[in-house]
Amino acid sequence: MTRAQMPDPSGPNVRFKQLGQPLRRTDAPGKVSGKTMYAGDFAMPGMLHAKVVRANLASARLRRLDVSKARALEGVACVLTAADMPDRLAATDIPGQTGQKRLKTDSQILVRERVRYFGEPIALIAAISRDIAERAAALVEFDLEPLPGVYDPEEALKPGAPLVQGTDNCVAEHKIRKGNVEEGFARADFIVENTFRTPFQEHAFLEPEVGLAWVDENEVVNIRVSTQVIEHFRSIAEAIGVPHNKVRILGALVGGGFGGKEDLTVEVYLALLARHTGRPVRLEYSREDSFVGHGKRHPFKLTYRTGVTKDGKITALDVRAIADAGAYVYLSPYVLLYCAVAAPGPYRVDNLNVHMRAAATNNMFTSAFRGFGGMQACAAYEQQMDEIAKRIGMDRLELRRRNLLETGEPISTGFVPPSAIWTDRCLEQAWAALGEPTPSHGSLRTGRGVAVYQQSYGRLTFLHDSSEAWVGVEVDGTVVVRSGVTDIGAGQASALGQIVAEVLGVSLDNVVIYNSDSAVTPLAGTTTATRGLYMTGNAAKRAAEAVRARLVARAAQAFGAGVAEVELAFDKAFRVDAPERSMSFVDLVKLCASEGIHRSELAMFRAPFTDFLDPETGQGQAHPDYTFGAHAVEVSVDIETGEVRVLKSVGAHDVGQCVNRAAVEGQIEGGAQNGQGYALSEEMLYREGRLVTPSFSEYLTPTSMDMPKVQCILLESRSGIGPFGAKGIGEPALTAVAPAIANAVADAIGVRVFEMPITPERVVRALQGR
Amino acid sequence: MSTHRPVVLTINGRTETASFPAHRTLLEALRELGHVEVKCGCEKGDCGACAVLLDGVAVDSCLTLAWMAEGRQITTVSGLGSADAPHPLQQAFADSGAAQCGYCTPGVIIAAKSMIDRNPDPSEEDIRVALSGNLCRCTGYVKIVEAVHDAAAVMRTPGDRK
């Protein structure tokens, strides 16, 4: 579809009863009073405590493993090694997917022979106390023969490099070809080339990985676990060799996810130990375990070569990038794909050439992290835009205005997003909100930066995503929502309640949401990929609308009116044209119940289903839709110490339609924090694959003293494909923060630091090299 | 292993007795006694998730030994109020959306209570300093700072003081 054919998708300014308001979330009272039980807060009679024994080298061969002393320790119930189990693998491919073929990337559960990363699990222990489990771990004897390792993804792709995965360490490759870049560069007045480096990042959720498993009277392995993905029951079942219906995941409210609880964490270890001992087993990672126990954000090296005319029109773009996949593949192919699709950003680039590869190394494996490749692309394309503006002598915002995609235009893959593209409005409003500039003084130089972005919401469309939800009305007029959705802190469950309450015209207090139980709540898919509200929200809305239709039909009959004339609102059914003709919601429900009218519905929502993108040109549909927005910051840089402080931080996003305004703001405020840490202070230092910063003393996430008061600007085009025109905001909130900060630092000191995090050392070095 | 000895702890106004070894931290002891509202985030005093009041002052319970808490008043977030009868801090945190994943919330509320008891009319800077030992990964601290500010105002109102 071309722009001319596409009608303005933005929706009217509708009036909702409660949707969009900052209602108190259903999970709030329990959390603030300490009543909420997280996965680690459960215990069972006879429960054992588990411990994972890990490799202390990153590349090695296991020569000898002797667990006899550990097994002999009093109080130890079980010590498991690879020798104690069939040579099964655990899935590391797209979690929770349904029926789709997996890539051949499954990994060993425990080291059998080859150690590929520092911290790779070698043995599992279950004992009657945590103290004894730790003492037993110290009694496990193993000899590791060091093998040559490779710790730089570029080195890993060279012929003769130590092999970590496959035949050449290349675990993923993605290309996009559009137009003719040679012609585009020939028409350019300037060609600007820069290389940007982005770092590892740790999710740093406050709740470390934890779970409790037991085998019940039906031989079902039950696992209550902190996870984003209850659908892992399938891959756990395959890993331990039982049918899918013999594993049940009970989620709990999750103490932070950010992608770090998207892959399997403790589940398979728990399942194995519970089956071997026949007793309940609890495993809680220490913070250090957590640092070495789950995948990180992929570091990228991205080289951008842009052709541009003197009036600021981009004529060609060539992007080369290489990502560090670490020791196992995990979600690297998908992260790489996201990065490639996002490579040109929300800009009109007719002549485009993208080539990206992900290389296996002996570093920690890398996988899902909020932003998922799209963020690394943004870090590069938005710094590149500022460098182009500087080179051609054009205002940074003006350069962007001249190239921004507008509604109805295709993105890099040729796909036209079905929703509005309001990047321009977000850009202007974020920038304007910075207000009066803070003057520089002494050694403090202030500077400003802005970045715009395009970030998908919803899963890759070739994964054929679907979501189910159940809505029912009890005879006392209370409402029940059942959805497998995991709530990782964004208010995923509460949002479903608010949507259903809006549709049925009841207050949120009347709704209870039962969620995240793979055996009894309809599977919602996963809480990943900014899909929760889009997919599960649509499924819940659909179920609520079906219930509503039956209630309204009965009320219309009672009122002697057509169904279009009946409204459900304020806990009542009434005639729109004669509101005095009304019936309480409770009476209507009782009436329906007495007549056997079906008061519940199980609904499914399906995302668009597509084939894989063209492997040579990368053209086609990758995602259901995209969110667009901007982030602007003001910083001060101390040119004597190199310290950067963020003074102002503004996110402006077209969220389509707020469901819970406070929750949306919370995503943007938290995104600003996560992006600020990524840009400035969060540094994972690896020495030959060994993490030397495995605690919050060394790995510095922003504190209350580091954060400014983040300002949120919410635009509502009501054009999204989520419920009521909503778009996703979980990942988009974060995407543009880091490049905005990098641009502000460059603005402040007149020289760019091309590698994040922009630590004081790097700032001083850049100033010295100026 | 060190010897166990009975320890008498006063938790949220009630006396509880249990046997602990010398190396048992107050965090571990409280959780073993069922006070799982006290959260474990790092066990190194970096994150503040395990904060409790010890004689009215916020401490990291992971850096306090259970034996050393004997004879002192221990208050957890559940001791301040309940879901039905919330403390003004709990009310403000719920109303303003200051709890997202909620895992840091018990410790943050304890740190805020400790500060407000000494500084009933804190500035934004005072609040940020007081909470600087409590890591949060979800909120950017925006709504947390607002909630503490709002709660302090409620707590200054005569009759509502807790």
Side-chain angles (χ1 to χ4, degrees):
Chain A
M1 201 186 311
T2 66
R3 270 166 73 190
Q5 292 168 315
M6 184 161 163
D8 180 2
S10 58
N13 191 0
V14 284
R15 285 186 71 84
F16 292 113
K17 309 298 181 300
Q18 53 174 275
L19 204 85
Q21 291 176 25
L23 297 189
R24 189 175 71 191
R25 276 165 40 178
T26 53
D27 54 321
K31 284 177 174 174
V32 301
S33 63
K35 208 168 187 178
T36 298
M37 297 282 279
Y38 293 80
D41 298 338
F42 291 84
M44 290 180 81
M47 180 176 85
L48 299 169
H49 298 261
K51 175 86 188 160
V52 179
V53 179
R54 299 175 182 280
N56 54 5
L57 286 176
S59 181
R61 180 169 289 120
L62 182 59
R63 279 296 183 198
R64 184 180 75 94
L65 176 58
D66 182 353
V67 297
S68 55
K69 285 181 187 147
R71 278 192 178 131
L73 185 68
E74 193 184 337
V76 171
C78 173
V79 180
L80 288 181
T81 69
D84 302 311
M85 60 182 82
D87 198 6
R88 288 204 188 84
L89 302 173
T92 66
D93 199 359
I94 282 280
Q97 70 175 339
T98 46
Q100 293 279 87
K101 200 169 159 234
R102 286 209 304 268
L103 300 175
K104 288 184 179 141
T105 55
D106 295 1
S107 83
Q108 61 184 359
I109 296 166
L110 295 173
V111 171
R112 193 164 289 273
E113 185 190 351
R114 178 86 161 92
V115 173
R116 293 185 179 83
Y117 70 92
F118 179 91
E120 188 160 10
I122 289 180
L124 306 173
I125 292 167
I128 57 170
S129 76
R130 205 178 115 174
D131 287 342
I132 293 171
E134 281 175 7
R135 271 191 285 152
L139 293 175
V140 171
E141 295 174 2
F142 56 85
D143 293 338
L144 292 181
E145 174 195 345
L147 293 177
V150 60
Y151 305 99
D152 178 305
E154 285 179 281
E155 293 298 321
L157 291 179
K158 287 180 181 164
L163 273 187
V164 185
Q165 290 289 342
T167 53
D168 59 1
N169 288 332
C170 183
V171 300
E173 184 169 17
H174 198 78
K175 289 182 262 185
I176 296 180
R177 303 264 183 278
K178 197 175 172 183
N180 185 324
V181 285
E182 285 73 27
E183 274 179 25
F185 281 120
R187 281 195 288 119
D189 296 313
F190 299 90
I191 294 176
V192 181
E193 180 171 331
N194 287 296
T195 296
F196 306 94
R197 289 172 191 274
T198 69
F200 283 102
Q201 190 181 21
E202 158 62 30
H203 305 77
F205 33 70
L206 265 288
E207 175 204 37
E209 296 88 328
V210 62
L212 169 62
W214 69 98
V215 182
D216 70 16
E217 67 279 13
N218 297 317
E219 291 301 311
V220 172
V221 181
N222 291 261
I223 311 174
R224 188 180 288 282
V225 64
S226 176
T227 180
Q228 299 176 228
V229 180
I230 61 169
E231 290 77 5
H232 275 315
F233 71 87
R234 302 182 181 114
S235 36
I236 297 162
E238 287 169 20
I240 65 171
V242 302
H244 285 191
N245 65 2
K246 292 287 191 186
V247 176
R248 174 188 187 185
I249 302 294
L250 298 97
L253 288 172
V254 177
F258 313 110
K261 294 170 183 168
E262 175 168 344
D263 298 309
L264 287 168
T265 59
V266 295
E267 296 94 328
V268 174
Y269 311 142
L270 281 168
L272 289 166
L273 289 169
R275 292 221 325 148
H276 273 81
T277 61
R279 290 170 68 173
V281 181
R282 179 178 187 272
L283 173 56
E284 178 180 24
Y285 277 1
S286 67
R287 180 56 59 183
E288 194 166 337
D289 270 327
S290 183
F291 264 94
V292 300
H294 68 256
K296 308 303 164 202
R297 187 189 297 287
H298 289 70
F300 269 74
K301 177 185 173 191
L302 305 110
T303 299
Y304 272 61
R305 186 164 176 261
T306 312
V308 60
T309 63
K310 55 182 183 296
D311 59 351
K313 174 88 181 77
I314 295 171
T315 60
L317 173 61
D318 181 88
V319 180
R320 312 265 146 171
I322 184 163
D324 188 346
Y328 288 95
V329 180
Y330 278 83
L331 303 185
S332 295
Y334 308 100
V335 171
L336 198 76
L337 174 57
Y338 270 61
C339 190
V341 169
Y347 296 113
R348 204 175 293 122
V349 180
D350 297 330
N351 301 306
L352 176 65
N353 192 352
V354 178
H355 184 202
M356 295 189 176
R357 286 181 298 167
T361 66
N362 293 107
N363 290 323
M364 183 61 198
F365 67 85
T366 46
S367 191
F369 196 141
R370 186 182 188 185
F372 206 85
M375 178 163 155
Q376 289 94 328
C378 186
Y381 63 71
E382 281 303 83
Q383 293 195 75
Q384 175 76 344
M385 287 304 272
D386 266 30
E387 288 299 302
I388 294 168
K390 186 173 162 190
R391 176 79 174 277
I392 71 173
M394 183 175 281
D395 174 76
R396 293 180 284 172
L397 272 73
E398 184 56 28
L399 174 69
R400 287 177 172 83
R401 285 181 200 115
R402 293 186 183 192
N403 292 283
L404 281 176
L405 289 174
E406 292 173 27
T407 302
E409 285 189 299
I411 65 160
S412 60
T413 65
F415 170 69
V416 177
S419 66
I421 300 178
W422 280 10
T423 328
D424 51 348
R425 304 180 199 203
C426 296
L427 171 67
E428 306 296 345
Q429 292 194 32
W431 188 255
L434 290 179
E436 285 299 307
T438 307
S440 297
H441 63 92
S443 62
L444 297 179
R445 302 280 186 277
T446 57
R448 289 178 163 196
V450 69
V452 298
Y453 72 87
Q454 158 196 312
Q455 179 86 40
S456 59
Y457 62 96
R459 274 188 146 177
L460 291 160
T461 45
F462 61 78
L463 291 172
H464 296 187
D465 196 13
S466 63
S467 181
E468 290 183 47
W470 184 96
V471 172
V473 185
E474 280 304 322
V475 289
D476 65 351
T478 57
V479 176
V480 173
V481 180
R482 294 196 175 98
S483 163
V485 69
T486 53
D487 191 322
I488 62 172
Q492 280 90 356
S494 186
L496 298 187
Q498 211 167 337
I499 289 165
V500 170
E502 178 72 34
V503 171
L504 295 178
V506 300
S507 71
L508 181 56
D509 293 341
N510 276 347
V511 184
V512 168
I513 305 113
Y514 295 90
N515 69 308
S516 67
D517 182 331
S518 72
V520 301
T521 54
L523 295 177
T526 63
T527 301
T528 65
T530 311
R531 70 180 285 290
L533 179 64
Y534 161 50
M535 296 295 296
T536 313
N538 273 331
K541 179 166 178 274
R542 197 168 275 195
E545 283 168 347
V547 174
R548 181 185 190 278
R550 292 194 283 268
L551 297 179
V552 163
R554 186 62 190 85
Q557 190 190 337
F559 298 152
V563 289
E565 287 139 41
V566 174
E567 173 71 303
L568 296 184
F570 314 115
D571 299 297
K572 280 189 295 196
F574 55 89
R575 275 185 70 153
V576 180
D577 54 344
E580 69 281 3
R581 289 299 311 278
S582 73
M583 186 189 303
S584 73
F585 186 76
V586 182
D587 286 345
L588 174 58
V589 171
K590 282 185 175 148
L591 181 61
C592 290
S594 71
E595 295 177 3
I597 294 171
H598 194 190
R599 292 167 288 108
S600 67
E601 182 79 6
L602 175 63
M604 178 184 258
F605 177 77
R606 293 174 192 81
F609 286 13
T610 65
D611 294 331
F612 195 77
L613 301 170
D614 183 290
E616 277 310 307
T617 67
Q619 296 298 289
Q621 179 173 1
H623 301 101
D625 192 23
Y626 299 86
T627 302
F628 300 87
H631 202 92
V633 297
E634 184 180 81
V635 301
S636 77
V637 185
D638 189 324
I639 56 168
E640 288 175 359
T641 65
E643 189 195 4
V644 179
R645 287 202 64 80
V646 178
L647 305 176
K648 297 175 185 172
S649 188
V650 185
H653 306 265
D654 171 19
V655 300
Q657 164 69 49
C658 286
V659 171
N660 185 316
R661 180 165 289 265
V664 173
E665 290 172 353
Q667 288 303 298
I668 294 166
E669 291 155 0
Q673 176 190 4
N674 198 322
Q676 183 173 320
Y678 182 64
L680 297 177
S681 62
E682 294 180 22
E683 194 164 32
M684 308 203 78
L685 294 174
Y686 286 92
R687 301 265 184 271
E688 298 222 312
R690 178 187 182 160
L691 180 66
V692 295
T693 56
S695 83
F696 291 142
S697 309
E698 296 117 345
Y699 184 80
L700 304 176
T701 64
T703 70
S704 55
M705 298 294 288
D706 301 314
M707 288 304 298
K709 186 174 176 162
V710 180
Q711 193 181 336
C712 301
I713 299 173
L714 307 181
L715 289 81
E716 295 182 303
S717 67
R718 297 180 178 84
S719 67
I721 56 175
F724 305 101
K727 293 190 173 195
I729 188 63
E731 293 176 278
L734 168 60
T735 307
V737 177
I741 291 171
N743 287 342
V745 171
D747 182 50
I749 63 174
V751 58
R752 183 169 296 278
V753 178
F754 286 91
E755 180 169 8
M756 291 179 190
I758 305 169
T759 56
E761 293 86 347
R762 290 198 173 112
V763 170
V764 169
R765 224 175 292 140
L767 284 165
Q768 287 168 345
R770 183 171 51 180
Chain B
M1 251 4 222
S2 48
T3 37
H4 286 55
R5 78 163 168 85
V7 181
V8 184
L9 297 176
T10 308
I11 305 163
N12 297 331
R14 283 176 48 185
T15 300
E16 300 186 38
T17 306
S19 186
F20 294 117
H23 68 276
R24 185 69 75 242
T25 67
L26 181 58
L27 167 62
E28 293 167 323
L30 287 170
R31 290 185 60 87
E32 276 178 34
L33 290 170
H35 297 278
V36 292
E37 70 273 19
V38 183
K39 299 303 180 200
C40 173
C42 71
E43 294 182 287
K44 287 183 176 175
D46 289 334
C47 79
C50 66
V52 298
L53 296 176
L54 209 54
D55 291 336
V57 179
V59 298
D60 287 329
S61 62
C62 72
L63 298 183
T64 308
L65 295 173
W67 284 14
M68 297 173 70
E70 235 182 344
R72 305 175 72 179
Q73 295 288 329
I74 302 161
T75 309
T76 74
V77 73
S78 303
L80 297 183
S82 64
D84 297 333
H87 182 274
L89 274 162
Q90 294 169 324
Q91 185 75 49
F93 270 64
D95 289 346
S96 63
Q100 285 195 33
C101 88
Y103 199 80
C104 74
T105 307
V108 173
I109 288 178
I110 287 294
K113 172 79 164 86
S114 181
M115 174 205 49
I116 293 172
D117 285 347
R118 279 150 199 82
N119 177 6
D121 192 4
S123 66
E124 182 184 332
E125 182 71 7
D126 293 338
I127 297 171
R128 288 185 179 275
V129 170
L131 303 185
S132 60
N134 294 79
L135 295 178
C136 169
R137 190 56 156 174
C138 299
T139 65
Y141 308 98
V142 179
K143 297 195 192 310
I144 289 176
V145 172
E146 282 170 14
V148 173
H149 180 266
D150 293 352
V154 171
M155 290 163 72
R156 286 195 301 277
T157 310
D160 277 341
R161 186 69 199 264
K162 294 213 177 182

